[in-house]
């Protein structure tokens, strides 16, 4: 935190985007003082969101949804204390899928199904977990909203599998995640209805960030600017807006139409390039502007024409840049911003 704020001030930057993890490490009150003493604005606080865990079945889903709401209320309070222009909302992927991790074991018991199943194993003597025991679990066909529990005992271990139908016909399935993409998006809408008024009372704008479709399974079930914008329209502009991040939206054939439609709902404009080929860890596939495939100037012109007057953030996840001299990185960033990002006319 101290290095970032100092670097911004030394290089003449006027604002800094902060991440909650770094604010927590430094301390909220200390972070507020640090930024204000340096004369900087907080262009955004990142991140709130991950609202879709409420799509897990039963009590687990209810607890996950309540936990997500509580964490986002804390994030809103932090953004208010920092005076952040917005709280960036990365809404979350499919319920039970964790960012960057392999899928939980999921074995179809039938084809063409739309169900969610959870399994738990208990030893007959003492209830000890035996996660490596091989068992066979029976399947059952259920109607929408129906719950069926089946049990199979093998080698002294009883496995109980609960299958909950989410839509249409469902067949028993083991695993700890849901493929119900439409339902995950509904959880985002439900959470937004709870959080938007809370944010409005505290003077914080929630900025819904659509992520490139490659991140739909684990990070964001909103993949286009249009999806995020449609979700925001139910709320006042000062409560809910959208993020235009070039890495995530450059490919969208409706991008310019949706930027114009968004107008003053654009709460943040973020730039970095999309590298090709992407590295093995696609999260680190962002590059310095001009090093990838994005044509920035038309996008910047469209954002400005839509009425955006806020800060432009450069947000790059790249291992080589993180390892480079930070003063050189910032100097290159400033030059590329002027030469590559800003419209020439």
């Amino acid at each position: 935190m101290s290095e970032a704020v100092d670097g911004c001030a030394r290089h003449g930057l006027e604002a800094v985007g902060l991440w909650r993890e770094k604010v927590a490490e430094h301390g909220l009150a200390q972070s507020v003082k640090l930024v204000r003493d340096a004369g900087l604005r907080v262009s955004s606080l990142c991140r709130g969101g991950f609202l879709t865990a409420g799509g897990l079945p039963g009590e687990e889903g209810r607890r996950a949804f309540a936990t997500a709401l509580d964490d986002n209320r804390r994030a809103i309070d932090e953004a208010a204390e920092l005076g952040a222009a917005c709280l960036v909302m990365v809404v979350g992927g499919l319920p039970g899928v964790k960012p960057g991790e392999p899928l939980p074991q999921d074995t179809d018991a039938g084809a063409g199904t739309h169900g969610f199943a959870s399994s738990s194993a208990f030893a007959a003597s003492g209830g000890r977990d035996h996660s490596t025991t091989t068992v066979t679990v029976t399947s059952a066909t259920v109607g929408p909203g129906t719950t069926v529990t089946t049990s199979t005992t093998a080698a002294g271990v009883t496995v109980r599998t609960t299958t909950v139908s989410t839509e249409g016909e469902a067949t028993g399935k083991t695993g700890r995640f849901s493929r119900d993409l439409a339902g995950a998006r509904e959880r985002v809408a439900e959470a937004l209805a709870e959080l938007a008024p809370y944010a409005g009372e505290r003077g914080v704008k929630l900025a819904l960030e659509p992520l490139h479709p490659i991140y739909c399974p684990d990070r964001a079930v909103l993949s286009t600017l249009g999806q995020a914008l449609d979700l925001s329209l139910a709320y006042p502009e000062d409560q809910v807006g959208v993020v235009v991040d070039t890495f995530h939206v450059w490919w969208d054939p409706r991008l310019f139409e949706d930027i114009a439609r968004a107008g003053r709902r654009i709460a943040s404009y973020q730039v970095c390039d999309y590298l090709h080929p992407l590295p093995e860890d696609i999260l680190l596939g962002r590059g310095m502007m001009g090093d990838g495939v994005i044509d920035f100037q038309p996008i910047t012109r469209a954002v400005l024409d839509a009425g955006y007057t806020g800060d432009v953030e450069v947000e790059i996840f790249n291992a080589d840049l993180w390892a480079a001299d930070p003063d050189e990185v910032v100097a290159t960033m400033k030059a590329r911003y002027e030469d590559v990002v800003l419209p020439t006319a």
Side-chain angles (χ1 to χ4, degrees), residues 29-324:
Q30 294 88 342
S31 298
V32 171
K33 184 177 187 303
L34 182 68
V35 172
R36 290 179 180 172
D37 287 351
L40 300 178
R41 297 185 299 274
V42 177
S43 50
S44 72
L45 179 65
C46 192
R47 58 194 176 189
F50 287 89
L51 307 167
T52 55
L56 295 171
E59 183 60 28
E60 185 176 6
R62 287 188 288 272
R63 287 197 307 268
F65 192 65
T67 298
L69 291 178
D70 287 343
D71 182 63
N72 277 274
R73 292 186 187 101
R74 287 192 296 271
I76 290 167
D77 292 341
E78 294 163 12
E81 189 70 18
L82 289 161
C86 64
L87 174 65
V88 175
M89 302 290 286
V90 177
V91 298
L94 293 173
V97 180
K98 296 181 180 180
E101 296 186 9
L103 291 177
Q105 183 180 359
D106 179 78
T107 305
D108 286 335
T113 65
H114 299 278
F116 183 96
S118 60
S119 300
S120 56
F122 300 89
S125 58
R128 297 183 303 276
D129 285 337
H130 286 255
S131 57
T132 60
T133 301
T134 300
V135 297
T136 301
V137 181
T138 59
S139 64
T141 301
V142 297
T146 305
T147 300
V148 173
T149 300
T150 60
S151 299
T152 296
T153 301
V157 177
T158 298
V159 174
R160 300 180 180 87
T161 299
T162 300
T163 304
V164 180
S165 173
T166 54
E167 61 177 353
E169 186 178 77
T171 310
K173 182 183 296 185
T174 61
R176 300 286 316 160
F177 76 96
S178 170
R179 291 185 172 91
D180 185 7
L181 178 57
R185 289 172 176 152
E186 290 174 3
R187 300 296 83 72
V188 175
E190 291 173 4
L192 198 60
E194 295 281 344
L195 295 171
Y198 186 89
E201 292 170 0
R202 286 148 184 81
V204 173
K205 179 179 287 189
L206 304 179
L208 301 176
E209 181 171 15
L211 268 57
H212 192 283
I214 55 177
Y215 299 107
C216 187
D218 61 350
R219 285 181 170 86
V221 295
L222 298 181
S223 301
T224 68
L225 182 61
Q227 285 178 313
L229 179 59
D230 289 344
L231 197 56
S232 75
L233 293 177
Y235 305 95
E237 286 184 6
D238 61 352
Q239 288 186 12
V240 183
V242 295
V243 179
V244 177
D245 184 325
T246 55
F247 178 87
H248 293 301
V249 301
W250 69 275
W251 58 274
D252 186 352
R254 292 177 54 91
L255 176 60
F256 294 99
E257 176 183 341
D258 284 329
I259 287 175
R261 189 164 66 98
R264 298 188 67 83
R265 281 193 184 269
I266 299 175
S268 179
Y269 179 40
Q270 298 177 343
V271 297
C272 72
D273 221 331
Y274 189 102
L275 299 180
H276 182 79
L278 290 172
E280 182 177 355
D281 185 349
I282 59 174
L283 186 66
L284 305 183
R286 296 170 176 241
M288 187 66 71
M289 298 82 69
D291 288 349
V293 299
I294 297 177
D295 187 3
F296 288 93
Q297 293 185 6
I299 301 175
T300 302
R301 171 53 61 196
V303 169
L304 296 176
D305 288 347
Y308 183 71
T309 58
D311 295 305
V312 180
E313 295 184 331
V314 178
E315 184 185 58
I316 304 177
F317 302 159
N318 183 295
D320 292 336
L321 289 178
W322 288 344

